[in-house]
Amino acid sequence: MKKLINDAGAVVRDSLLGVEAAHADRVRVDHEHRVILRREPTRQGKVAVISGGGSGHEPLHGGFVGIGMLDAAVCGEVFTSPTPDQIMAATTAVDAGAGVLHVVKNYTGDIMNFEMAAELADAESGVRVAAVVVDDDVAVQDSLYTAGRRGVGLTVLLEKIVGAAAEEGRDLDSCLKVAQQVVATGRSMGMALTSCTVPAAGKPTFDLGEGEMELGIGIHGEPGRERLPLGSAKEVAAQLVEPILADLDFAGDAIVMVNAMGGTPLIELYIVYAEVKALLESRGVTIVRNLVGNYITSLEMAGCSVTVLKADDDLLKLWDAPVNTPGLRWGA
C-alpha cells in the first residue's frame, strides 16, 4: 500500500486538520464529532441542509459545505457511516429555526443512523427534520451495502440544487419537494479500471486482470453488473449511458455529470464526455449544463461514472444560483 498518510487509523482525523487549514475562509471543523460546518452560522430562518457518510469520496460531502450548498457534512470513517451522535450534533448545530433537511445516500448504515439521529434531535431539541434518500444507481438492485439501489453521483447534483433552494429562502417542505424531484428524475452508472485500497485494509478491495473493467461498480468498490474486457471510450460511454436511458425517458434538456472515481485524469474524462454528449444527443437529450471532474470518488480508484438529470426551468435556476464551497464555486 502506497499512500500519503501518517497512520492508517487516523486518516479521517488528519484529513480534517488539513481541510480546516486549507479552507478556513469558508468552513470550520468540529473535530470532536468530525463535522465540517460553514464558517458563518446558518442564518436565522433558513432551512439547513446537511449530508454525510463514509469518508473517501472527496470532495463529497465536506467539499460541498458553503454558500449555496450544504450547511454541514458529517464524516464517518473511510467507507463507514457516521454515528447517530455525530449526525445529531451536526443537526442541532445548524438548525436555525426552519428545520433541517438530511440528504442521505441509500446505504443501510446511513439510512439507519440518519433516522436515529433525526429522532434524537427531535426528542432532545425539538428540531424538525426531513430526509431525502438518494438511490440513483441503475447498475444493481440490493447490493452488498444496500436494500434497493445505491446512492451515487446524483447526490452531488441534488446537494447543489436543494442547497440553492434553501439559500433562496424556501421552507422545509418546498426544499424536500425539490429534492424528491431530483431523485425521481436522475440516474447514474459507473465503471472501474482498478480497485481502490482502504487504508485500514491495506490491500485492494478486488482484483482486475489486465484488460478488464468492472461495469456498474459502487462508490465503496462493490462489484457491479459484470466484469468485461475493456473497450474504447466510445464503447464504455455506451455501456454506461444505455442502461440510464433504458431506465427513464430523458428526452429534452438535461444536466449531465461525467465524474472521475479518483484516479482517472481529465484528459480521459473529456474523451468520455464527448462520447456521452454525442450519444445523448442522438437520443434526443440536450445537455444544458455539465460537470466534468472528480466530484464523488472512491479513494484512488480509476474509472468514471455518468449521471443524467432531467432539467426544467426551476432546476436550472437553482443550478445556476451562486455557490461558494471548497469543491464547487460559481457566481459568487
Side-chain angles (χ1 to χ4, degrees):
M1 179 174 71
K2 289 184 178 180
K3 290 184 179 291
L4 292 172
I5 61 176
N6 296 317
D7 180 344
V11 170
V12 176
R13 181 198 68 190
D14 290 351
S15 177
L16 289 177
L17 291 171
V19 168
E20 184 176 52
H23 303 297
D25 59 329
R26 293 187 182 95
V27 302
R28 54 196 168 93
V29 178
D30 171 357
H31 291 281
E32 178 185 356
H33 298 102
R34 296 185 177 176
V35 177
I36 301 172
L37 304 115
R38 294 190 189 189
R39 183 171 63 85
E40 301 297 333
T42 304
R43 73 173 186 271
Q44 199 61 29
K46 174 192 170 299
V47 170
V49 183
I50 76 170
S51 191
S55 297
H57 306 303
E58 290 74 21
L60 193 82
H61 297 275
F64 301 137
V65 174
I67 294 170
M69 286 191 80
L70 299 177
D71 292 88
V74 196
C75 306
E77 290 296 330
V78 174
F79 295 176
T80 303
S81 173
T83 67
D85 286 348
Q86 287 179 269
I87 301 165
M88 186 182 75
T91 302
T92 55
V94 299
D95 177 51
V100 178
L101 179 65
H102 285 175
V103 178
V104 188
K105 300 187 301 301
N106 187 31
Y107 296 95
T108 304
D110 288 12
I111 295 284
M112 179 176 64
N113 290 348
F114 270 89
E115 285 180 350
M116 192 177 301
E119 292 170 3
L120 290 169
D122 178 47
E124 296 187 13
S125 304
V127 179
R128 184 186 172 207
V129 178
V132 61
V133 176
V134 188
D135 58 353
D136 54 310
D137 189 356
V138 302
V140 294
Q141 188 88 0
D142 301 329
S143 182
L144 297 176
Y145 289 75
T146 182
R149 289 180 169 177
R150 302 174 294 210
V152 288
L154 186 65
T155 313
V156 177
L157 278 56
L158 189 150
E159 289 178 357
K160 169 62 187 83
I161 289 167
V162 78
E167 206 75 59
E168 191 180 76
R170 300 190 193 188
D171 64 21
L172 184 59
D173 289 337
S174 298
C175 289
L176 178 61
K177 185 176 180 181
V178 168
Q180 290 170 333
Q181 177 186 347
V182 172
V183 170
T185 57
R187 300 289 187 271
S188 300
M189 187 156 170
M191 56 78 65
L193 299 171
T194 68
S195 177
C196 60
T197 298
V198 176
K203 61 181 181 180
T205 304
F206 58 87
D207 294 314
L208 272 176
E210 198 70 29
E212 287 186 323
M213 70 172 186
E214 187 80 20
L215 182 66
I217 47 89
I219 57 172
H220 305 95
E222 312 99 302
R225 285 186 168 187
E226 54 188 331
R227 188 162 295 186
L228 298 169
L230 175 62
S232 66
K234 183 174 184 176
E235 291 167 334
V236 170
Q239 288 167 314
L240 296 177
V241 170
E242 290 295 348
I244 292 172
L245 296 180
D247 197 80
L248 189 67
D249 180 7
F250 281 98
D253 291 345
I255 300 170
V256 171
M257 178 174 71
V258 172
N259 169 70
M261 302 306 297
T264 296
L266 272 170
I267 192 170
E268 295 176 29
L269 289 185
Y270 283 126
I271 293 170
V272 173
Y273 178 79
E275 298 296 347
V276 168
K277 184 175 186 289
L279 181 54
L280 288 174
E281 287 180 346
S282 74
R283 302 287 290 276
V285 181
T286 302
I287 301 177
V288 292
R289 304 289 188 276
N290 70 77
L291 289 177
V292 180
N294 281 289
Y295 295 101
I296 173 171
T297 61
S298 185
L299 295 171
E300 80 281 21
M301 179 185 286
C304 69
S305 63
V306 174
T307 298
V308 184
L309 171 65
K310 292 176 71 71
D312 61 21
D313 289 343
D314 187 48
L315 291 192
L316 286 176
K317 181 184 76 167
L318 294 171
W319 182 261
D320 290 340
V323 57
N324 189 353
T325 72
L328 206 63
R329 181 179 182 180
W330 60 69

